[in-house]
Amino acid sequence: MAWEVGDLLDSLGALDRRRVVAPDALPGAPDASLQIVTSPTTARPLAGVRLDSTDALDAAIGAAHEGFLAWRRVPAPVRGQVVRAIGDEFRRHKAALGRIISLEVGKITAEGQGEVQEVVDIADFAVGLSRQLYGMTMPSERPDHRIIEQWLPLGPIGVVTAFNFPCAVWGWNAMLAAVCGDSVLWKPSLAAPLTAIACHAIADRVAASMGHTGVFHLAIGSDEQVGEPLIADRRLPLISATGSCRMGRRVGQVVAGRLGRCLLELGGNNAAIVEPDADLGIAIPSIVFGAVGTAGQRCTTTRRLLVHRSIADDAVARLVRAYETIKVGDPLAPGVLVGPLINQQAVDGYLSAIDAAKQQGATIVTGGTRVGPEHTQPAGLKGHFVRPAIVRAPASNDLPIARDETFAPILYVFTYDALDEAIAMNNAVDQGLSSAIFTASSRAAERFLHPSGAGSDCGLAYVNLGTSGAEIGGAFGGEKDTGGGRESGSDSWKAYMRRQTCSIGFANNVTLAQGIRFE
Ligand code: UN1
């Protein structure tokens, strides 16, 4: 029987038969140590993946620690060369990796490959960084003394990733951690272990071929067997976790309990503001991509549209026209823009949010329903498809369901009269990841980005761009319930290192700071 994902893994040298089981070799009886990976497009099994036990995790953490002790001694620019070679390999295998992502989590081809590109980009960034792990030097108040700050490798880093960016988010963490001199232990989502197996195999093989084993590690397993013991383990000084706010709260508490460090990248409830002077030729396509891209399953998805009353009907009419041309179906079929949701639970979440919105007085302007097999592109797909929805809030703007992050393509539309009101609405949710304003006025844009902090309260603020699709060069992350972490660009590398302030005396006598005499 043809087994496409098996062939793809094989072509990447990542088909470990002890780990990955072909669909026709799956056991008839349930087996708790085997995860069945189901295609969100066809609802049929793609593969079985053998799960790690708590003992296997313990061994992996031990190996990651050993690996760290050797890796940290490799000079940072040499570590950078290893990351460069890994980035090149991801470049070479972009199509195959992108296809595995599409098969496993339902991303359309462009988005699956775009995700691999994020790994290539962060690898490039990390290579440069490997020569720029700068510390500061500061003047000492004592004569003949010097103070410097140096950044040191931190340890093995626990990286917990979600299904929706099964490759890029590992890349952001792993490439930076690697140049910083840390080893990486990755726990991927159980909905996307095949992508993880492929990415891990490539990174591990490249590093090993350059003489560096033990830098990259993978632990696949349940929360109970692997997730919980991983976050509790003191050998992992930093846990970088991406996922829901509920998950992040748990990770935050457990890691704080052992006084470890966390880097949390959690949910978003991102709004786009459309001012009356906005160029709708830019705003509408950006909002459509932000709201329906990745079938609404990005943490940066545009979930709320705050549109000035004077243009609201026009903007909504244009959005509806755009939505009605969107093909939903096989993410690998040409012309399809919206693939499936990850599983049935996600469809249920979508439908119950739509129901709640109706009950709360909102109007479903378009979408709001499941797409049955007869309406998919091509017809007959049994996966988890929904039609992207636009939901108009009641005139009171009171719509409690819009405060939840429903991981599906639902765009709630609110109207406002004054920009300050729109900014307050932008900020009136628990999460604080991404935000956008569409305007031709620099004054409005500056108010949204106000240097006092009185504008958007989010970690990401876009002007004339949608809320999703960040480049890797900027620090990525958000405030409030989004967790406060920053990954990817700028100085987020500092999270993966420890700072040491070094004071060096070269005087012939003792001088104490603060002018203290102690004789
Ligand atoms: C996520 O959804 O967890 O900005 C990450 C974006 C992507 C990353 C999203 N570069 O939409």
Side-chain angles (χ1 to χ4, degrees):
M1 196 177 99
W3 183 31
E4 186 182 8
V5 88
D7 294 342
L8 287 164
L9 288 172
D10 204 19
S11 74
L12 300 170
L15 184 59
D16 174 357
R17 298 251 177 201
R18 285 161 309 178
R19 179 69 108 170
V20 185
V21 181
D24 55 7
L26 290 172
D31 176 348
S33 70
L34 190 70
Q35 174 74 15
I36 311 292
V37 184
T38 304
S39 156
T41 304
T42 64
R44 283 205 291 265
L46 286 169
V49 172
R50 289 256 160 247
L51 298 182
D52 290 310
S53 62
T54 306
D55 286 347
L57 171 74
D58 184 62
I61 298 175
H65 187 254
E66 286 299 310
F68 164 69
L69 296 180
W71 181 239
R72 69 176 177 183
R73 302 189 72 98
V74 176
V78 179
R79 301 194 292 250
Q81 291 309 305
V82 175
V83 167
R84 182 162 77 134
I86 293 171
D88 283 346
E89 204 64 357
F90 274 76
R91 231 181 222 108
R92 201 160 21 252
H93 295 301
K94 183 169 162 177
L97 284 166
R99 199 161 173 100
I100 295 175
I101 295 170
S102 295
L103 291 169
E104 189 170 38
V105 304
K107 289 195 183 193
I108 61 170
T109 304
E111 293 196 72
Q113 295 199 8
E115 202 187 324
V116 183
Q117 186 61 43
E118 284 199 46
V119 179
V120 171
D121 293 343
I122 194 72
D124 283 352
F125 180 89
V127 176
L129 192 61
S130 71
R131 292 183 186 269
Q132 300 175 73
L133 301 171
Y134 298 139
M136 296 208 283
T137 166
M138 47 284 275
S140 169
E141 68 188 51
R142 294 178 267 207
D144 296 335
H145 282 68
R146 172 195 293 291
I147 305 176
I148 62 164
E149 202 172 67
Q150 60 171 344
W151 291 90
L152 306 170
L154 183 63
I157 311 298
V159 177
V160 177
T161 58
F163 79 85
N164 68 327
F165 273 83
C167 147
V169 171
W170 162 79
W172 298 350
N173 284 281
M175 298 304 108
L176 291 196
V179 294
C180 290
D182 302 328
S183 58
V184 175
L185 173 60
W186 182 13
K187 182 206 165 298
S189 158
L190 282 185
L194 299 171
T195 304
I197 288 168
C199 294
H200 168 75
I202 292 173
D204 191 40
R205 184 176 59 239
V206 170
S209 74
M210 297 171 80
H212 305 288
T213 52
V215 182
F216 299 101
H217 304 265
L218 183 64
I220 305 175
S222 64
D223 288 350
E224 199 179 64
Q225 296 279 310
V226 168
E228 286 287 333
L230 181 145
I231 60 177
D233 201 298
R234 294 179 63 94
R235 289 171 292 179
L236 303 172
L238 170 68
I239 302 292
S240 174
T242 302
S244 66
C245 296
R246 190 186 53 78
M247 180 278 293
R249 241 179 222 110
R250 173 76 194 153
V251 173
Q253 278 166 12
V254 172
V255 177
R258 62 177 173 91
L259 299 178
R261 272 199 225 164
C262 262
L263 199 173
L264 297 175
E265 205 269 277
L266 311 175
N269 189 348
N270 318 297
I273 297 174
V274 188
E275 278 277 271
D277 62 0
D279 178 344
L280 292 185
I282 299 231
I284 299 296
S286 309
I287 293 162
V288 173
F289 176 69
V292 313
T294 324
Q297 301 173 107
R298 290 191 188 213
C299 55
T300 53
T301 292
T302 308
R303 307 208 176 276
R304 297 177 298 135
L305 186 65
L306 314 177
V307 53
H308 192 271
R309 191 178 306 281
S310 63
I311 56 161
D313 291 342
D314 181 30
V316 170
R318 290 183 194 222
L319 283 170
V320 169
R321 278 204 295 282
Y323 268 51
E324 284 172 354
T325 65
I326 289 172
K327 288 187 188 164
V328 178
D330 181 350
L332 291 166
V336 167
L337 288 184
V338 173
L341 296 184
I342 189 68
N343 53 28
Q344 181 57 40
Q345 235 181 322
V347 175
D348 295 344
Y350 166 89
L351 294 173
S352 80
I354 295 285
D355 268 354
K358 283 186 199 157
Q359 269 167 32
Q360 293 167 11
T363 311
I364 314 304
V365 186
T366 183
T369 54
R370 203 187 163 118
V371 177
E374 61 285 13
H375 293 119
T376 57
Q377 300 275 337
L381 299 173
K382 299 226 166 61
H384 314 294
F385 299 97
V386 299
R387 186 143 282 291
I390 298 178
V391 175
R392 216 154 158 181
S396 63
N397 272 344
D398 183 21
L399 186 60
I401 186 68
R403 289 206 292 269
D404 294 348
E405 181 193 37
T406 301
F407 228 50
I410 305 175
L411 182 66
Y412 300 105
V413 182
F414 299 86
T415 46
Y416 70 88
D417 294 297
L419 179 56
D420 286 344
E421 191 189 339
I423 292 174
M425 287 159 83
N426 177 79
N427 297 350
V429 290
D430 292 335
Q431 308 87 338
L433 179 56
S434 188
S435 57
I437 189 168
F438 292 91
T439 179
S441 147
S442 62
R443 198 175 283 175
E446 291 294 340
R447 274 164 69 190
F448 182 68
L449 308 176
H450 204 286
S452 68
S456 162
D457 66 358
C458 294
L460 307 169
Y462 293 95
V463 175
N464 295 321
L465 291 168
T467 57
S468 68
E471 302 176 22
I472 62 87
F476 181 94
E479 305 300 335
K480 303 192 292 184
D481 284 9
T482 303
R486 290 298 186 278
E487 295 180 305
S488 187
S490 186
D491 65 351
S492 18
W493 60 271
K494 290 179 176 170
Y496 306 85
M497 302 200 85
R498 64 186 170 89
R499 183 197 313 242
Q500 187 170 63
T501 306
C502 311
S503 302
I504 306 149
F506 51 95
N508 294 326
N509 51 356
V510 176
T511 322
L512 298 177
Q514 294 87 46
I516 292 174
R517 298 186 71 83
F518 202 75
E519 282 153 8

